Amino acid sequence: MIAALAAVLLGAMGASQSLSDVVSNAAFHVYVMPASAQPDSVTVLASDSQSRPTSVKIIYRLGDRLTITVLETVRVDDETSSPAPSPGPTGQTYVVNGYPAAYTVTGPYYQHVGWLTWNPPGVTVTISSMDMTDAPTLVNAALALY
C-alpha cells in the first residue's frame, strides 16, 4: 500500500515541469517575467507530436496577494492573415513591444479580471490578473516579459 502511494506521488512530481524545461523545449518563444518574479506554477496545456509544449500557463505570485497569469499558445505564422482582432466594445488597445494589444475587463463587479492579449510572431500571449485589473498595470507587467 505504501509503495503504491509512493509510486503515485513520484509519478505526480515527474509530471510537473520547471519553467526552464518548458522554455528550452517549447515549440515557440516562451515569454517569461524577469528572474526576480519566480513562477508559482507552470502547466503545459498542450504539446505537439514531438512532446514539445505548444500551450503553456504560467502563474506568478508577486508579493503576498498579487497573482499574474500568463497564457501562451503557439500559432501558425502566416503573413497573409489579418491583423489581431480589435477589442470588444468595452476594450481598449495598447502597444506591447510593437504589437497591438487588446485590453478587456470581465467578470461581475465583485470579481473583475483584467485581460491583455497580443500576437507577436508565432504566439498568442494573454496576461491576466484578478488583483490588478487596470490597464496601465497589466501593460507594465506585459512589457516586463522577455
Side-chain angles (χ1 to χ4, degrees), residues 35-57:
S36 60
Q38 293 297 316
D40 194 41
S41 70
V42 178
T43 307
V44 174
L45 302 173
S47 297
D48 63 10
S49 61
Q50 299 167 344
S51 298
R52 296 181 308 171
T54 57
S55 184
V56 177
K57 179 180 179 180

Side-chain angles (χ1 to χ4, degrees), residues 35-102:
S36 60
Q38 293 297 316
D40 194 41
S41 70
V42 178
T43 307
V44 174
L45 302 173
S47 297
D48 63 10
S49 61
Q50 299 167 344
S51 298
R52 296 181 308 171
T54 57
S55 184
V56 177
K57 179 180 179 180
I58 307 167
I59 298 175
Y60 292 95
R61 183 168 305 280
L62 307 173
D64 291 338
R65 299 181 44 152
L66 179 61
T67 302
I68 296 175
T69 302
V70 180
L71 177 63
E72 302 178 45
T73 303
V74 71
R75 62 172 211 285
V76 177
D77 246 351
D78 61 341
E79 286 139 25
T80 61
S81 69
S82 61
S86 60
T90 60
Q92 301 169 358
T93 301
Y94 294 89
V95 176
V96 175
N97 293 326
Y99 303 101

